[in-house]
Amino acid sequence: MYEEIRADLEEQRQKLETRLNKIATGHLANGPVDADSQEQATENANDEVYDGLEANAIEHLEAIKAALTRMNEGAYGVCVDCDEKIPVARLKALPFAVRCVACESARE
């Protein structure tokens, strides 16, 4: 039933894992901090960007892995709050959604 969504999640997972590897490689490849204070400021700003990208990718990757786990356990597409089915249209738009629209709106 959710084969298309599973395929999309797997593809996103692979892309994020590749991106995280690139971020880690680029981040670690910077080497020691430059002695020039202006260069240090630039390196620190770059590090902050890398850290932000990495945190965002990790969060997204964890949500995808959780969705795939729910699929494997047969719990995918069921709202964690009300136990009602999450509409397929919502899952296609947000494949790692854990709540139906009504329950998500109530949380906000």
Side-chain angles (χ1 to χ4, degrees):
M1 175 179 196
Y2 299 117
E3 295 83 15
E4 183 179 320
I5 295 173
R6 179 186 293 275
D8 183 50
L9 285 169
E10 290 287 354
E11 181 180 338
Q12 287 183 46
R13 182 186 56 78
Q14 288 177 326
K15 286 179 181 178
L16 284 169
E17 287 173 347
T18 299
R19 182 186 310 165
L20 282 168
N21 287 334
K22 287 180 181 178
I23 290 171
T25 302
H27 190 62
L28 296 174
N30 288 340
V33 177
D34 195 290
D36 178 32
S37 62
Q38 207 170 19
E39 201 50 44
Q40 284 179 1
T42 301
E43 288 176 7
N44 287 338
N46 288 342
D47 286 346
E48 288 178 19
V49 170
Y50 276 125
D51 291 345
L53 289 171
E54 185 176 34
N56 186 322
I58 289 171
E59 183 179 331
H60 194 169
L61 182 60
E62 292 304 316
I64 288 170
K65 287 180 178 180
L68 291 168
T69 297
R70 287 191 306 278
M71 280 184 172
N72 293 337
E73 294 172 350
Y76 185 76
V78 177
C79 178
V80 296
D81 290 343
C82 69
D83 291 327
E84 295 294 321
K85 285 194 171 224
I86 299 171
V88 174
R90 175 166 172 75
L91 293 172
K92 284 184 178 182
L94 188 66
F96 38 83
V98 295
R99 289 178 185 82
C100 65
V101 174
C103 290
E104 191 64 41
S105 294
R107 285 179 51 97
E108 297 172 358

